[in-house]
Amino acid sequence: MIPALILYLVRRMRYGANTSLDFSKFREIVLKIKSILFFFIVSSAFPFNSGNSSESVSYKIVKNNTTIGFINIEKQVENHITTYSLESHVEVKFLVKVNVSCAEKSIYENGILMYSSVYRKVNGKVKADHKVVRKDDRYILFHNNEKQRLKFEELTRNLITLYFEEPKTIEKIYCDNLKKELKIKSINKGCYLVDFDKGKYNVFHYKNGKCVKIDAVSKLFSVTLIPVLS
C-alpha cells in the first residue's frame, strides 16, 4: 500500500499539482497506515480466542474378543455452551439377533445441564424416548406426552461427560437412561465405578486424564469399550 501512495504522489508532482498539499495529505495517510499496522501487529501477537472447540472420540464394543458395535461421541464448545452428542449401534446374538441403536444429546450452559435427551431402538422398536429440560431453575422430564418435575436443583455432570473428563472430585453423576443420580466411586488410581440397578455397573479407566477403557458389566453379559485410535 505504501509504494502505491508514493507512486501516486510522484504522478501528482509530475503533472504540476500542489506538492505542499500532496505532502500534507501523504503524511496524514501515512499516520493512518501506521495505526493500522500497529493494530495488525498487536492482533497477530495476541490472537483472538473465541472459546470454540470440537473434540470427538469413538469406542469399539468388544465381547469375547469380538467387536459387536461402536459408540461415537462428539463434544462441541461454543463460548459458554457445551454440547455432547452420542450415537451407538450394537448387534449381538443370543437365541435371536438383537440390534440396538441409541442417540443421546446433552447441552450445558456455564457448566449446568440445560438439556438432555435419550432415544433408543431395539430391533426397530422404540424402547426409550425422553428428554429433560431445565426451566426456571427446575428440571422437567418430557416422556410419553407427559411432563414431570424432577427433584434435582442443579446438575453439573452426566454420564456422557465421563468419556472426556476424569471425575476426580465427583461423588454423584446423573444417569440419563435411569433419570436419576448415581454414586460414582474411586476404586483404584484412575478407576471409577458407577453402580446401576439390578447388578449392572460400569468401570471407567483413565490414563493421564483420558478415558482408555470402560468395562460394562451386567448379569446377562459383559462388554468392554476400547477407544478407536484415529
Side-chain angles (χ1 to χ4, degrees):
M1 182 179 291
I2 292 177
L5 288 173
I6 295 174
L7 179 60
Y8 163 78
L9 183 57
V10 170
R11 286 179 177 177
R12 294 282 292 178
M13 293 172 63
R14 180 181 299 175
Y15 291 103
N18 189 330
T19 56
S20 62
L21 180 60
D22 283 329
F23 273 113
S24 177
K25 290 183 178 179
F26 180 75
R27 284 196 299 268
E28 182 181 348
I29 294 173
V30 168
L31 288 174
K32 290 182 179 180
I33 292 175
K34 285 183 177 179
S35 299
I36 294 173
L37 288 174
F38 176 78
F39 175 78
F40 176 77
I41 292 171
V42 172
S43 300
S44 300
F46 302 97
F48 176 70
N49 184 6
S50 63
N52 297 348
S53 64
S54 179
E55 183 180 358
S56 62
V57 292
S58 296
Y59 293 81
K60 59 181 179 180
I61 304 172
V62 179
K63 174 177 167 52
N64 296 331
N65 296 321
T66 301
T67 300
I68 62 172
F70 292 92
I71 295 180
N72 301 311
I73 316 111
E74 184 176 9
K75 175 184 178 181
Q76 290 186 326
V77 179
E78 295 184 5
N79 298 320
H80 58 285
I81 304 293
T82 303
T83 303
Y84 297 88
S85 301
L86 179 150
E87 291 185 358
S88 66
H89 179 78
V90 177
E91 182 176 303
V92 62
K93 187 174 183 180
F94 296 108
L95 296 177
V96 295
K97 184 180 292 186
V98 179
N99 287 280
V100 182
S101 59
C102 182
E104 298 183 20
K105 189 172 185 176
S106 299
I107 300 176
Y108 286 81
E109 183 175 357
N110 293 322
I112 300 175
L113 183 65
M114 304 300 294
Y115 174 89
S116 170
S117 65
V118 175
Y119 183 80
R120 184 170 62 255
K121 296 175 71 174
V122 179
N123 289 344
K125 295 183 179 180
V126 177
K127 294 297 183 180
D129 185 8
H130 62 264
K131 63 181 180 181
V132 172
V133 178
R134 181 175 173 83
K135 185 177 180 181
D136 298 328
D137 297 329
R138 298 296 179 186
Y139 289 97
I140 306 298
L141 170 67
F142 294 85
H143 180 55
N144 292 333
N145 296 321
E146 296 182 355
K147 294 193 299 183
Q148 177 186 346
R149 181 175 169 177
L150 301 179
K151 62 180 181 179
F152 315 116
E153 293 185 1
E154 189 175 280
L155 298 171
T156 57
R157 293 289 298 270
N158 65 340
L159 279 174
I160 198 171
T161 65
L162 296 182
Y163 292 97
F164 295 92
E165 303 168 24
E166 183 176 353
K168 293 182 178 180
T169 60
I170 305 299
E171 296 181 353
K172 289 185 178 181
I173 196 145
Y174 177 67
C175 176
D176 306 85
N177 284 307
L178 300 178
K179 301 179 285 292
K180 66 179 183 180
E181 283 188 302
L182 302 174
K183 291 183 179 180
I184 183 167
K185 181 181 179 182
S186 175
I187 58 175
N188 207 337
K189 183 179 180 180
C191 297
Y192 303 84
L193 184 144
V194 179
D195 196 4
F196 305 101
D197 58 356
K198 300 178 181 179
K200 299 179 181 179
Y201 63 89
N202 284 2
V203 178
F204 292 80
H205 303 260
Y206 295 85
K207 185 177 181 180
N208 297 326
K210 291 187 176 182
C211 185
V212 295
K213 187 176 71 169
I214 303 167
D215 296 314
V217 180
S218 69
K219 293 181 179 179
L220 186 60
F221 71 100
S222 301
V223 298
T224 301
L225 280 62
I226 302 174
V228 178
L229 299 178
S230 57

